[in-house]
């Protein structure tokens, strides 16, 4: 419970700090816009201001995820964090479309940019601010296991790309190439599509209950090496928000009493939590090694998973 609360607090702290950093970046850019009248920088500033709003649904999701489970949501409210990740993915897609639209519009309707050095400097500030925020969100998101926070970090990185486009465009205009600004804008839009793909994979896998296979291996190994466990027939992990939930089936000596079998299951839970720091709830089901019901369950699981091995051949020691 302490680990879960600490992860939640770190996630909210990362959002508040990065929100403040982006706000400072937008204010500095806004001052330069007022002094130079750069339409390109104005668009980038408004873009950065609008995209800081992605922190709002994430903050709400972290708050909602702290509510205890109830009869309607027996697994709790952690999925709100994953739904917020979908919102972030949509915002990245809109960023790509907006960057591409503005680039095409500038190609068709060229605009004069004044105060090129100031505009380029503000673009650098925008790029550095967004990149620092992106690195911070990505680091904390990966440490606490939050796919939504990782996606928001990738989103901040796309904002940095658009700011970089302002810098490169100003440099091109300074060299007498007025088309450089929109041309680079198109390249940045394509780069954002690449970031969008990463975010879609990250959030999509989370919604499909995908986990790193190494985590499953660690959970299975910790259960298999527990004294009293003869065989591990199934291990399942899933993320709910930034907390892992596990279900495991193990075989024990059929001569063990109910109390002893329960104690073995309890030790398995403890060892799995030690191996997986982000593990919250863990349900371990012990069964006698000679139980035909457990073999039937394993065979059914293999059949649903599309296994080609005949059910009759699934006995003790068979993989599931």
């Amino acid at each position: 419970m302490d680990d879960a609360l600490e992860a939640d607090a770190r996630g909210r702290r990362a959002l508040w700090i990065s929100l403040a950093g982006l706000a400072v970046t937008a204010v500095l850019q806004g001052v330069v816009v007022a002094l130079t009248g750069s339409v390109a920088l104005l668009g980038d500033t408004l873009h950065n201001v609008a995209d800081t709003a992605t922190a709002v649904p994430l903050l709400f999701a972290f708050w909602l995820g702290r509510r205890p489970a109830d009869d309607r949501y027996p697994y709790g409210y952690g999925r709100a964090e994953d739904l917020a990740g979908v919102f972030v993915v949509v915002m990245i897609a809109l960023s790509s479309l907006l960057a591409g639209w503005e680039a095409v519009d500038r190609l068709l309707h060229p605009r004069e940019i004044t105060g090129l050095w100031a505009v380029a400097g503000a673009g650098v500030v925008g790029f550095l601010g967004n990149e620092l925020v992106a690195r911070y969100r990505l680091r904390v998101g990966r440490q606490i296991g939050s796919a939504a926070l990782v996606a928001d970090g990738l989103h901040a990185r796309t904002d940095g790309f658009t700011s970089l486009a302002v810098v490169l465009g100003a440099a091109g205009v300074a060299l007498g190439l007025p088309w450089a600004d929109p041309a680079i804008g198109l390249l940045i839009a394509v780069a954002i599509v690449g970031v969008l793909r990463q975010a879609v994979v990250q959030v999509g896998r989370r919604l499909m209950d995908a986990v790193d296979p190494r985590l499953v291996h660690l959970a299975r190994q910790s259960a298999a090496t527990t004294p009293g466990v003869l065989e591990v027939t199934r291990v399942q992990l899933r993320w709910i928000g930034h907390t892992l939930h596990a279900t495991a089936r193990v075989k024990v000596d059929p001569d063990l009493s109910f109390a002893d079998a329960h104690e073995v299951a309890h030790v398995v839970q403890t060892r799995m939590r030690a191996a997986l720091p982000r593990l919250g709830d863990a349900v371990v089901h012990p069964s006698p090694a000679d139980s035909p019901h457990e073999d039937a369950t394993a065979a059914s699981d293999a059949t649903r998973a599309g296994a080609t091995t005949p059910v009759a051949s699934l006995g003790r020691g068979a993989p599931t």
Side-chain angles (χ1 to χ4, degrees), residues 36 41 48 56 86 95 105 110 122 137 142 184 198 213:
T36 65
L41 186 58
N48 285 331
V56 175
V86 175
S95 297
D105 181 64
R137 288 179 176 176
R142 286 165 179 161
I184 292 175
Q198 297 179 48

Side-chain angles (χ1 to χ4, degrees), residues 42-296:
L42 174 62
D44 184 51
T45 303
L46 294 176
H47 185 207
N48 285 331
V49 170
D51 289 344
T52 56
T54 58
V56 175
L58 278 176
L59 284 169
F60 177 75
F62 273 93
W63 170 81
L64 187 62
R66 300 174 66 187
R67 297 182 59 180
D70 52 39
D71 289 343
R72 183 175 293 276
Y73 297 97
Y75 286 96
Y77 293 78
R79 283 293 188 190
E81 186 179 327
D82 301 325
L83 293 177
V86 175
F87 176 80
V88 173
V89 167
V90 172
M91 292 302 297
I92 296 177
L94 290 177
S95 297
S96 177
L97 291 175
L98 178 62
W101 176 270
E102 289 183 351
V104 173
D105 181 64
R106 290 174 192 172
L107 279 173
L108 298 177
H109 307 94
R111 302 168 189 172
E112 183 180 358
I113 301 177
T114 60
L116 293 178
W117 287 108
V119 171
V124 170
V125 170
F127 172 73
L128 293 177
N130 279 287
E131 182 61 22
L132 289 174
V133 166
R135 288 173 180 264
Y136 182 44
R137 288 179 176 176
L138 288 170
R139 185 177 72 252
V140 175
R142 286 165 179 161
Q143 288 174 348
I144 69 173
S146 173
L149 192 55
V150 169
D152 205 31
L154 293 172
H155 186 210
R157 181 156 286 168
T158 66
D159 296 342
F161 287 160
T162 60
S163 298
L164 187 61
V166 174
V167 178
L168 298 179
V173 172
L175 293 175
L177 304 173
W179 50 265
D181 182 39
I184 292 175
L186 283 176
L187 293 177
I188 295 300
V190 174
I192 294 176
V193 172
V195 176
L196 173 63
R197 178 182 175 276
Q198 297 179 48
V200 168
V201 170
Q202 185 81 20
V203 175
R205 285 178 175 172
R206 182 59 56 86
L207 292 176
M208 290 293 293
D209 285 334
V211 297
D212 189 336
R214 290 175 297 179
L215 297 179
V216 180
H217 175 73
L218 284 174
R220 182 179 290 112
Q221 186 179 41
S222 62
T225 55
T226 300
V229 173
L230 301 181
E231 182 184 346
V232 179
T233 58
R234 183 172 66 179
V235 171
Q236 292 175 298
L237 298 177
R238 68 187 306 193
W239 286 100
I240 298 181
H242 50 269
T243 303
L244 274 171
H245 291 249
T247 301
R249 291 179 178 270
V250 299
K251 289 188 175 185
V252 298
D253 191 326
D255 295 329
L256 287 180
S257 65
F258 178 83
D260 290 339
H262 179 270
E263 179 61 24
V264 170
H266 177 71
V267 175
V268 170
Q269 289 177 329
T270 302
R271 292 171 65 92
M272 288 176 65
R273 286 195 175 99
L276 305 173
R278 294 269 68 84
L279 182 60
D281 188 28
V283 178
V284 180
H285 173 71
S287 63
D290 57 358
S291 172
H293 303 290
E294 186 67 19
D295 290 338

Side-chain angles (χ1 to χ4, degrees), residues 234 236 249 296-307:
R234 183 172 66 179
Q236 292 175 298
R249 291 179 178 270
T297 301
S300 177
D301 291 341
T303 301
R304 285 197 299 269

